[in-house]
Amino acid sequence: MEEVLQQNAANWPECAKTSYPALLRLTQVNNIFIQLITECVGHYQLQPIDFNLLSCLRRQPAPHVLSPTELYQSLLFSSGGLTKVLVRLQESGLIERCDNYEDKRSKLVVLSAKGKDLVEEVMPELHRQEQKMLSALSSHELDQLDDMMRRVTKTMNSDNDQYPKRMQFQGRY
């Protein structure tokens, strides 16, 4: 990252003057974190979206149920793409589908006992990886970082049209 910043300053000064190194570093941290998640859940034969869906269901009160619409809104995922994930997880026995008495056109998604056990096994490992990744920061610094990211997210999720709605979080995370 330092090399990228130095190259910008030396060879593209007008870009260097208007770019924010913190955003470049944030992008780098995000990319590393996504790789970390991918590797961690891959050891359990899961894809990151599989784990996100299982985690989303686990966060719900027992019996850990959501409609497909609630899931794809929570996951910022298309309904077509979600269908493929649901089929894969159902075939693996990690979720179950049951009738939706409020909407006969869809089936609810339920976290199975096997899925619950798996997500509860993976999460502590993922947390250990996160802690290792953030070990350079003190507890106070982590609180400050969280506050700063919350403020940036709030700006990005405000009602203005500066950012596409599809990029805005729906509040389930």
Side-chain angles (χ1 to χ4, degrees), residues 7-151:
Q7 288 173 343
N8 266 355
N11 304 308
W12 198 0
E14 59 274 18
C15 177
K17 289 178 187 174
T18 59
S19 68
Y20 291 98
L23 288 177
L24 293 174
R25 288 187 180 95
L26 182 62
T27 299
Q28 183 180 34
V29 167
N30 181 61
N31 291 341
I32 292 168
F33 185 63
I34 289 170
Q35 182 180 347
L36 183 146
I37 291 170
T38 301
E39 290 173 6
C40 182
V41 301
H43 291 300
Y44 297 89
Q45 287 70 52
L46 293 172
Q47 295 178 24
I49 188 61
D50 301 339
F51 181 73
N52 286 344
L53 189 143
L54 295 173
S55 296
C56 185
L57 288 170
R58 179 59 185 89
R59 285 191 297 272
Q60 303 307 307
H64 313 297
V65 178
L66 286 173
S67 72
T69 300
E70 292 169 319
L71 273 170
Y72 78 73
Q73 288 174 344
S74 296
L75 298 170
L76 301 175
F77 205 66
S78 73
S79 59
L82 180 63
T83 300
K84 294 174 189 174
V85 175
L86 292 175
V87 167
R88 182 172 58 244
L89 293 176
Q90 187 173 12
E91 287 174 354
S92 299
L94 300 173
I95 62 165
E96 299 168 358
R97 304 296 300 272
C98 65
D99 291 333
N100 183 347
Y101 298 107
E102 294 178 13
D103 182 357
K104 302 290 183 195
R105 298 168 294 165
S106 72
K107 289 192 171 279
L108 295 172
V109 181
V110 183
L111 184 63
S112 70
K114 180 180 176 183
K116 183 177 182 278
D117 289 345
L118 181 61
V119 76
E120 289 177 355
E121 181 180 341
V122 175
M123 189 60 79
E125 176 58 29
L126 188 56
H127 285 167
R128 281 190 289 279
Q129 295 294 326
E130 291 171 353
Q131 288 169 349
K132 187 188 320 182
M133 186 174 169
L134 296 171
S135 65
L137 301 177
S138 71
S139 158
H140 178 69
E141 289 168 326
L142 285 170
D143 289 343
Q144 288 178 314
L145 178 62
D146 182 48
D147 181 59
M148 288 183 276
M149 292 295 99
R150 186 181 300 115
R151 286 185 283 157

